[in-house]
Amino acid sequence: MAKQEARQMQPDVQKYIESLDAAVTAREAAVKAAGEKYPERFGYSEDNRRQALAFDNTLDTAYAECESIRATAWEALKASSDPLVKWIAENCASYKAEAHSVLSALPATVSELDDLAARKDWCGVWDTFRQRAIDAGVMPGITPPSPARQAVFDLIDRESCCPMGTRTKQRVSKALDALIQEATSTTASTTETKTAEATA
């Protein structure tokens, strides 16, 4: 917790989490109060049934209000100035529990988020959303592939038996970086040699 506080949780995320915490607290308080208000809800008498119905209605209202607050807080994240937070809100509504863990960890490096995903055992789901975030240019510290590099990835996908996974793309990307570095060094060396010969 101290480490997270030292990182200064992003204001949008902090407000979101505080809203969720407040909503859950209010819901639990309403449930507790209802239990105390309708102690005779167990049984088969008319009064038992009346109290049981009133208790259930109170719970339904409490849970509905909680979900409404949670939904509003989630929608607010879509206006975040942080690209990754905004992208998560717009694309990960079906995985709010996982998204909550990622949002709570921000700001974080990609490696730290990978470690979080490994601890949570998110596997393929994380790989898919991770790559989509990279392609969208919102993953911190990672530049989305250039059109030429993406074309290489697409070609490999078409020519192979199955599409590459995230880790494979990372290895291929590093190999391409090494190839580009080698080509750049070779070109520079050749240019220097020609220049030296021309001035000799």
Side-chain angles (χ1 to χ4, degrees), residues 4 14 19 55 82-83 89 137 146 193 198:
Q4 181 62 45
Q14 184 171 353
S19 295
F55 177 79
D82 182 272
S146 65
T193 299

Side-chain angles (χ1 to χ4, degrees), residues 9 19 37 45 50 100 125 138 166 173 198:
M9 184 182 291
S19 295
K37 184 176 181 180
S45 70
R50 181 187 61 78
H100 186 283
V125 172
V138 299
T166 301
S173 190

Side-chain angles (χ1 to χ4, degrees), residues 144-162:
S146 65
R149 189 179 296 259
Q150 186 60 50
V152 172
F153 292 155
D154 293 343
L155 177 62
I156 294 174
D157 284 344
R158 289 196 301 271
E159 297 296 331
S160 61
C161 62
C162 54

Side-chain angles (χ1 to χ4, degrees), residues 17-30:
I17 292 176
E18 288 175 351
S19 295
L20 263 58
D21 290 343
V24 171
T25 298
R27 184 190 67 195
E28 292 176 346

Side-chain angles (χ1 to χ4, degrees), residues 76-92:
L77 290 177
K78 295 181 180 180
S80 175
S81 59
D82 182 272
L84 181 56
V85 172
K86 178 180 173 65
W87 187 89
I88 289 174
E90 292 175 342
N91 295 274
C92 304

Side-chain angles (χ1 to χ4, degrees), residues 40-194:
E40 303 299 326
R41 62 187 181 278
F42 305 106
Y44 301 97
S45 70
E46 183 177 346
D47 185 57
N48 292 149
R49 290 194 294 270
R50 181 187 61 78
Q51 289 203 26
L53 179 60
F55 177 79
D56 289 343
N57 289 339
T58 301
L59 260 61
D60 289 344
T61 299
Y63 274 85
E65 290 177 350
C66 181
E67 287 307 308
S68 177
I69 293 172
R70 290 163 68 99
T72 299
W74 181 267
E75 285 297 313
L77 290 177
K78 295 181 180 180
S80 175
S81 59
D82 182 272
L84 181 56
V85 172
K86 178 180 173 65
W87 187 89
I88 289 174
E90 292 175 342
N91 295 274
C92 304
S94 298
Y95 297 91
K96 286 185 178 177
E98 293 82 355
H100 186 283
S101 295
V102 172
L103 290 169
S104 298
L106 297 177
T109 65
V110 177
S111 294
E112 288 169 336
L113 294 179
D114 286 342
D115 291 341
L116 173 64
R119 292 196 303 273
K120 298 284 188 177
D121 195 25
W122 291 338
C123 304
V125 172
W126 168 247
D127 284 346
T128 298
F129 280 93
R130 180 187 193 278
Q131 188 58 52
R132 286 178 58 191
I134 291 174
D135 293 342
V138 299
M139 190 64 83
I142 294 185
T143 302
S146 65
R149 189 179 296 259
Q150 186 60 50
V152 172
F153 292 155
D154 293 343
L155 177 62
I156 294 174
D157 284 344
R158 289 196 301 271
E159 297 296 331
S160 61
C161 62
C162 54
M164 291 186 295
T166 301
R167 301 296 186 270
T168 301
K169 284 186 177 181
Q170 289 176 338
R171 292 193 292 271
V172 172
S173 190
K174 287 182 179 179
L176 289 173
D177 287 338
L179 182 61
I180 292 171
Q181 180 62 39
E182 179 182 316
T184 302
S185 298
T186 300
T187 300
S189 178
T190 301
T191 301
E192 290 176 1
T193 299
K194 289 182 178 180

